Amino acid sequence: MKKIEAIIKPFKLDDVKEALHAVGMQGMTVTEAKGFGRQRGHTELYRGAEYVVDFLPKLKVELVIADDSVAGAIDAISKAAHTGKIGDGKIFVSEITEAVRIRTGETGEGAL
């Protein structure tokens, strides 16, 4: 099993959700986040004064899936979250050694 964590722009969430659903992904967790990468934030003007917004709003999408579904999920997220502009986000993949469905006690891929 693998855990995919994708940091995306908030307005791309519906596109990512639909793309994942289209390739058979059933569940995900979405968390509001703030951060920056190479874009290093931006400057805004408010009532004539400039100020720097260091941390930009992002969403973190997490899903745990079977190993054989990873490539399809990454492709779906990449295409759906892409705008071609700086700050599109990142995708991280990590190994999951165990999963347990609390309600039934199922373990492993059966718990997904």
Side-chain angles (χ1 to χ4, degrees):
M1 294 177 294
K2 299 280 193 259
K3 178 179 183 180
I4 296 179
E5 295 175 88
I7 309 299
I8 63 170
K9 292 181 175 185
F11 69 89
K12 294 303 260 175
L13 178 60
D14 286 337
D15 294 340
V16 169
K17 182 179 83 167
E18 291 301 320
L20 287 170
H21 182 70
V23 295
M25 302 298 121
Q26 294 180 355
M28 69 173 76
T29 300
V30 178
T31 309
E32 290 183 12
K34 292 185 182 231
F36 66 90
R38 290 185 180 158
Q39 69 204 88
R40 303 251 193 260
H42 64 277
T43 303
E44 289 191 5
L45 192 62
Y46 179 72
R47 293 190 178 181
E50 277 192 3
Y51 66 99
V52 176
V53 178
D54 289 331
F55 295 99
L56 301 173
K58 302 288 184 179
L59 292 178
K60 181 167 138 181
V61 177
E62 299 173 276
L63 53 152
V64 178
I65 57 178
D67 290 338
D68 60 350
S69 301
V70 172
I74 290 173
D75 187 54
I77 294 168
S78 295
K79 287 179 180 171
H82 181 264
T83 67
K85 297 186 174 130
I86 194 163
D88 272 355
K90 298 261 189 317
I91 299 172
F92 305 100
V93 181
S94 53
E95 186 74 30
I96 297 296
T97 58
E98 187 63 75
V100 178
R101 184 185 308 264
I102 295 172
R103 179 177 53 87
T104 63
E106 291 172 273
T107 59
E109 286 188 18
L112 302 179

